[in-house]
Amino acid sequence: MFKKILIANRGEIAIRVMRACRELGISTVAVYSEADKNALFAKYADEAVFIGPSPSSQSYLKIENIINAARETGAEAVHPGYGFLSENTHFASACEENGIVFIGPPSHAIDAMGSKITARQTMLAAGVPIVPGIEEGITDPEDAAKVAENIGYPIILKPAAGGGGIGMKIVQSSDELQPALASSQSVARNAFGDDTIYIEKYLTEPRHIEFQILADKKGKTVYVSDRECSIQRRHQKLIEESPSPVMTEELREKMGSIAVKAAKAIGYVSAGTVEFMYSRGDFYFLEMNTRLQVEHPITEMVTGVDLAKEQIRIAAGYPLGYDQSDMRIRGWAIECRINAEDPLNDFSPSPGKIKRYRSPGGPGIRVDSGVYTGYVIPPYYDSLISKLVALGKDRNEAIARMERALYEYIIVGVKTNIVFHKAVLRNTRFRSGDINTHFIKEENIIESVKSIAAEDYKKGASLASALGADSRQIAAISAAVGSYLSQQKAGEKS
Ligand code: ADP
């Protein structure tokens, strides 16, 4: 087993990986930027190396600095987390060339899934069903028009090099196509340095269902659990659950086996996720993420498999200690991504100082975070404060626990989306499991966010006045009830 691992990432995921290392008796090296010098992950590590004055995400993208940090500290392996360099073949190769083990798949497997177009071609050849569309890139508007006509509107334009929902455009009819193509190309050029676009049929009421897989170096590949990730805003996940409410044993076996087939087709090793769009009993390969996902904890909660530790064990050459038939799902897990953002202002980011912080606990609750009271959330990175996970014996208990935990969660100083999560969890359609990727719009969740925020504030204020508090204290106590508006007010006053 490795003695020392460098974690080439920041925030909650850096801590998540360091926790796995600590349990395995491996020492850890953090790398940090100027903006992260007071971050928890840099303090949690056994050693921390400063890798860049740049306050932006650039510091975590400088391959040379990270490799140097690993060499200087004698780290034998590097864990890339998610985002940043986790799906960068140059980084994986640079590690390989410097005799450092990259904790993830071989660079050729990252490559195979790196371009969405190549991935579609490979999956098609392997007999994996893909979303109807084309397998070549498009730049010419006239070609695009012909292809769109063939596929049939609505269609979706996607940057081949894309990720995070960036640059994707839904086109309802032919007159919208040209401006949409131009805009998608320009976003793609800026974000990915590559303006290749391709076209898929836009499925109207799909669910996003994905499969966690694990593959060792001896050729064994298993699927671990399915995850439903349909609660999204701007094509980005906000709430995930495992298993999916539509899953049956039969469907799990069918989709899971196809996920394994997809992984095997590219010689995959390590933890990975095969994403599908599911619509009325049919499912189609969307993409494969060749890394640990943000939402991996829900799989860990329902299966008892520690995915971060498994990645490290696999990278060190250990075989998986179980077969597909040993894999069991027990209970139900839900994850809410707690972001520093304003759900009432188009989810715009709300970085700043956390003036008061108290995370929930009790039965079935897991909080993965990297913040503390007094911590300043920098504006340069994503707005994730924590991942709140609830495990219950069934879906109803998981929902009840999550609602209870959201009620206990106190974050003062920055705006958060806690009240948004409350609104979704309270929704009767969500509770029945009848969801799709348009759920937030279809159910007009933002309207319920407003009323729950007002309700929460009143609750806090009446509690405060019953206690004989003055107006300043009322604001503070309202904040303690975990409301959105009160957090704002307490933030303004303190
Ligand atoms: P990214 O890699 O940028 O995250 P994905 O291809 O994984 O993009 O898609 C992200 C989300 O966009 C999906 O979960 C889904 O909500 C929506 N989406 C993508 N492709 C389609 C499609 N063909 N039809 C309907 N929705 C889609």
Side-chain angles (χ1 to χ4, degrees), residues 202-219:
Y202 185 65
L203 305 165
T204 42
E205 287 173 357
R207 287 171 174 262
H208 175 119
I209 299 178
E210 59 187 32
F211 274 74
Q212 176 70 53
I213 61 113
L214 280 174
D216 67 18
K217 290 184 178 171
K218 318 266 179 218

Side-chain angles (χ1 to χ4, degrees), residues 116 131 156 158 162-166 168 200-203 206 208 232 235 275 277 286-287 437:
K116 293 189 182 203
V131 182
I156 181 165
K158 290 190 183 182
I166 299 163
M168 296 195 320
E200 274 177 21
K201 174 85 188 157
Y202 185 65
L203 305 165
H208 175 119
Q232 307 180 344
H235 304 302
E275 297 188 334
M277 292 269 90
L286 188 63
E287 65 166 349
T437 56

Side-chain angles (χ1 to χ4, degrees), residues 51-168:
I51 48 155
S54 164
S56 70
S57 60
Q58 289 307 317
S59 299
Y60 296 97
L61 294 172
K62 295 224 168 82
I63 295 178
E64 203 189 323
N65 293 356
I66 293 169
I67 299 280
N68 285 343
R71 291 169 68 122
E72 278 161 24
T73 53
E76 304 141 271
V78 169
H79 194 299
Y82 53 69
F84 296 123
L85 295 172
S86 60
E87 293 178 295
N88 184 308
T89 29
H90 301 300
F91 184 55
S93 311
C95 289
E96 285 161 21
E97 283 155 20
N98 282 277
I100 299 162
V101 177
F102 176 77
I103 303 176
S107 50
H108 68 79
I110 303 179
D111 242 353
M113 292 296 179
S115 156
K116 293 189 182 203
I117 294 178
T118 321
R120 282 171 66 81
Q121 290 164 347
T122 313
M123 292 301 106
L124 197 65
V128 172
I130 57 174
V131 182
I134 50 165
E135 283 74 56
E136 302 93 42
I138 264 194
T139 41
D140 182 58
E142 276 178 28
D143 291 345
K146 273 185 222 144
V147 169
E149 220 48 65
N150 272 342
I151 299 174
Y153 289 95
I155 54 146
I156 181 165
L157 305 175
K158 290 190 183 182
I166 299 163
M168 296 195 320

